[in-house]
Amino acid sequence: MAKVNRTRYAVLGMLSFRPMSGYEMKKYIDNSIIHFWQENFGRIYPVLRSLEREGLATKQVDQEEGRPVRHVYSITEKGRRELARWLLLPAERPNWRIELLLKLFFGSQVSVANMIRKVRSEKAFCRHTLETFQQLEDHIKSHESGTEIPYGLITLSYGQHYYRAVEAWCDETLERLRRFEGEGEPARSNGFGKQ
Amino acid sequence: MAKVNRTRYAVLGMLSFRPMSGYEMKKYIDNSIIHFWQENFGRIYPVLRSLEREGLATKQVDQEEGRPVRHVYSITEKGRRELARWLLLPAERPNWRIELLLKLFFGSQVSVANMIRKVRSEKAFCRHTLETFQQLEDHIKSHESGTEIPYGLITLSYGQHYYRAVEAWCDETLERLRRFEGEGEPARSNGFGKQ
DNA sequence: GCGCCCATGTAACTAGTTACATGATTCA
DNA sequence: TGAATCATGTAACTAGTTACATGGGCGC
């Protein structure tokens, strides 16, 4: 199965909302979808160029008095069709690589206190993230019209469900680990038998 | 910040349980941590070699009558120290790239029926995954001794919390989307104002 | 004879990150 | 004067995936 360049579609999607420059787009992304999608300049700029080359976007150079030159890109009809085509394809599921869980899985190699510390730190991160989500929610709600489909709230809600679940898991895990607190000697089994 | 080669530690961690070959390790991984960590042969074999070169593992060639040759690797004391050193470092948080959410975020470019289909499919996937998790849970519980720290159950529980949360989010989202069912004309706003 | 499982590996590729280079303006 | 922000870009790198190559044994 041919791998698709997803940055391409992330960028195209952003342009479907309104024309913007690469720099603006990075900020837009960091304020909206950052909790499930990241992009960096090293990819945004080359992708914008290639979209232009392929006729999926057009570029206007915007020189304002005493400001750096901005390259503002707009999506074309062809670009919109290409975006829609991709949207209809089934979404590929990500391959998770969750380092915290990998470390926990091998946790018996070190003392339980170390693992407790990691889970506590994860819980703090969840709490912090949920707070910023609350602000994002307020922001979106103050901007939405009520007649549109609230896709921004929908994707945000995923994050809220996710971090609430991780927080609950942290509590459960801390409870479990505390029963073994103080045990010094690392064991070497894990509940999985011969594979 | 220097990037660490995480496959290296995944492999080292697996060897910390018992000596095994690359082929066995792949199966072990696919039966235990696959829901949060994947590895493929293209990385396992080269890493095993480099671990041996660096003295973190040793290799024995195992030739059984009428069977293919197996290269069985064992972790060394140096390897165990290197694993422990890594375990104590803070876990790096993954950069999520969840394509389903990216497509939903741009959902207003196509009809709502398409997005409903995607969310339904996600829900089915959650249900299916939770069922296989149940089997895994039974398997682990039948193998664990009760005196060890249940790290296998702990990492599994993360997955269970996660997929239950996503399932709930699917229900909530379907509810939301159904209110807009039948609306044909794609809109072009998303609840995010000027950034 | 065919397909599947065992078993080890390499090569080619795509994706993604980070560091660097440049230079102007604004604000403390 | 120095830091932060605006703004665009490239080069070098690491990570990760997929396809391919090889070959024996086993069951249908």
Side-chain angles (χ1 to χ4, degrees), chain A residues 10-192:
Chain A
V11 166
L12 213 42
M14 287 295 156
L15 292 182
S16 79
F17 294 137
R18 61 175 173 79
M20 57 183 105
S21 68
Y23 190 84
E24 271 182 286
M25 188 175 295
K26 176 72 162 73
K27 273 199 301 178
Y28 197 128
I29 288 172
D30 288 348
N31 284 316
S32 58
I33 62 176
I34 189 68
H35 64 286
F36 63 86
W37 202 271
Q38 303 80 41
E39 292 295 351
N40 51 56
F41 289 127
R43 292 190 61 71
I44 291 174
Y45 286 122
V47 162
L48 279 171
R49 286 204 153 185
S50 76
L51 290 179
E52 196 203 357
R53 268 202 309 278
E54 293 167 71
L56 306 179
T58 55
K59 179 167 90 174
Q60 296 131 260
V61 176
D62 177 11
Q63 171 70 83
E64 266 178 80
E65 178 68 29
R67 308 253 55 208
V69 174
R70 291 167 67 244
H71 297 182
V72 180
Y73 291 84
S74 310
I75 194 168
T76 62
E77 266 317 304
K78 190 178 167 193
R80 242 177 243 282
R81 281 196 303 275
E82 173 60 8
L83 175 61
R85 190 192 61 77
W86 175 76
L87 286 173
L88 300 187
L89 298 176
E92 299 273 317
R93 230 163 302 263
N95 285 346
W96 308 115
R97 296 196 98 184
I98 308 180
E99 216 177 279
L100 172 67
L101 296 186
L102 192 64
K103 293 198 175 193
L104 274 168
F105 193 71
F106 301 139
S108 55
Q109 300 294 311
V110 293
S111 82
V112 67
N114 280 297
M115 293 298 133
I116 288 177
R117 211 173 307 135
K118 284 198 199 311
V119 177
R120 281 214 187 105
S121 149
E122 181 69 11
K123 181 173 166 160
F125 181 78
C126 289
R127 292 221 60 77
H128 174 256
T129 305
L130 284 167
E131 275 166 40
T132 66
F133 280 177
Q134 188 53 57
Q135 288 166 33
L136 187 53
E137 190 181 332
D138 297 343
H139 176 78
I140 298 175
K141 282 188 169 159
S142 72
H143 280 78
E144 62 160 11
S145 70
T147 59
E148 301 141 17
I149 309 178
Y151 284 117
L153 284 177
I154 285 170
T155 53
L156 174 61
S157 174
Y158 185 102
Q160 290 169 321
H161 276 83
Y162 172 67
Y163 282 104
R164 276 187 222 119
V166 175
E167 205 191 353
W169 168 84
C170 286
D171 288 334
E172 178 201 284
T173 300
L174 287 171
E175 184 95 1
R176 271 175 156 158
L177 291 181
R178 270 193 281 262
R179 289 201 287 268
F180 296 90
E181 216 168 357
E183 286 192 16
E185 285 313 288
R188 269 161 203 185
S189 180
N190 66 340
F192 288 87

